[in-house]
Amino acid sequence: ERRGRKAGSPGPGWASRAEDRGAMAAVLDAESFGGDECLEEDEEELEASLEDAESEPVGKFIPGGRGCCILTRRGITLRVLLKDGLIEPGEGVLSIYYLGKKFLADLLTDGKIVWQETGQVFNSPSAWATYCKKLVNPAKKSGCGWASVKYKGQKLDQYKAVWLKKYQPNAPPADEGLVSEGEEEELADDEEEETKGVKSSLSESMLARKLEEKNRKHPNKSPAESLGTDNGKRPESKNCVPVRYCSLGSRDLARNPHTLVEVTSFAALNKFQPFNVAISSNVLLLLDFHSHLTKSEVVGYLGGRWDINSQLLTVLRAFPCRSRLGDAETAAAVEEEICQNLFMRGLSLVGWYHSHPFSHALPSLQDIDTQMDYQLKLQGTNNSFQPCLALICGPYYPGNQGMESKISPFWVMPPPEQRPYDYGIPMEVEVTYIQDGFLTNDVLHEMMLLVEFYKGAPDLVKFQEMWGPEQTYLDKLKASLAARTPKDQGFGHVLDQVYSLLKHSS
């Protein structure tokens, strides 16, 4: 549904449709550029007024308009730089690096910019920079294009400075120096993970990311060993004390990527949550059931709908991945099946879930980076904004209150612009839970398939064993699902059959 619009022809931005809603006023449309030196309209107006001037000899006074003045820094356009031979048109010669993401564009002979990802044409560096930055950070108001866009690795601002020095030596010097060798080296590692575009709804999938994480963590172990447990607990869950985001500072390769981070409320940052979320109780029931089955981490997708007018993300269906994190071939087939199921039900991919079996239901540093990646990919390549929701389920964490699993929804806010090498900020998402009237056949069928999939697995939870002093693991599962069971109790006997299968299979 989202991707049916022709590439390069984006519809109106989501915030422009919601400008009457005060809570969304801070999130501007990609066509509503703000700031001072970074206004696309100003640049286009200047370009229009200087078209005739550019055909005149350099450094001469410009007749009419703006008081007959010599070209200023703001009056220098890409056409000026092209005409005077400081830069040349070419493919992929323009780039933007912003909050861990890299964008590439072609420079045309007339000074226009073509974004390689979609073929969209932009009239100025500020227009392109603002558009790209808002894809990563919807609250971004301006792009500061000449300071952000690089031509063959060097900021365009510096080409302005060279032009001024050559043709108007009395003009004020540029504020910024050339990009230093050290700065380039600092960017190199992050630029390896440059954006490659949204190839499909499930490209750069959760399973693929989790598989990579497992392989990095257990390079010499088989899938069964890497997914195994030590006394029923994942090794990384031991002594895993969450840290506050403010204590992290800049990225540090020596820091454990499995470090858990406390989530931050939007109110604590004096911000509004930029979207509303409603989740079906059947979604929570299925992902909670999935998370209980194994001592290893599980992953799944979330299907639903995004209403751009009401700014409401509705999560209607969970799609568990019935594959091992060490089995890439099976994962691809499972994801293809999920993709078809989404299409058949008229649903969009709106997020993902995974479990922390024995630890806090809080995101790790790795989860934060992964979620930031998915947010950008699900937004697509047009002006519209669609959120991507992440859910973490902690079924067996001893610190949970009672026997109900802790399920935490979160979203990642980009770090402050003045600290681009910091981690994204994990934000607590307030949601409305919708109690379903009955269990659907889809959910029941999926539960049976999951029981069959994990049957006989070495990391399958032994549900007949004791979880607490008086409760078995099966008692614990039943108690957790009770809060998410639909009002219609007519399906109770079906759930009892599922529980019976679980008891015997483990």
Side-chain angles (χ1 to χ4, degrees), residues 277-282 284 312 314-316 432-437:
V277 180
I279 303 180
S280 156
S281 62
N282 277 343
L284 301 179
L312 176 63
T314 307
V315 185
L316 299 170
T432 299
Y433 296 105
I434 303 172
Q435 185 68 44
D436 289 305

Side-chain angles (χ1 to χ4, degrees), residues 14-16 23-29 134 137-141 272 274 385:
W14 71 276
S16 64
M24 303 299 168
V27 187
L28 303 181
D29 181 74
K134 283 175 70 80
N137 179 11
K140 178 67 179 166
K141 296 181 181 180
F272 291 101
F385 167 78

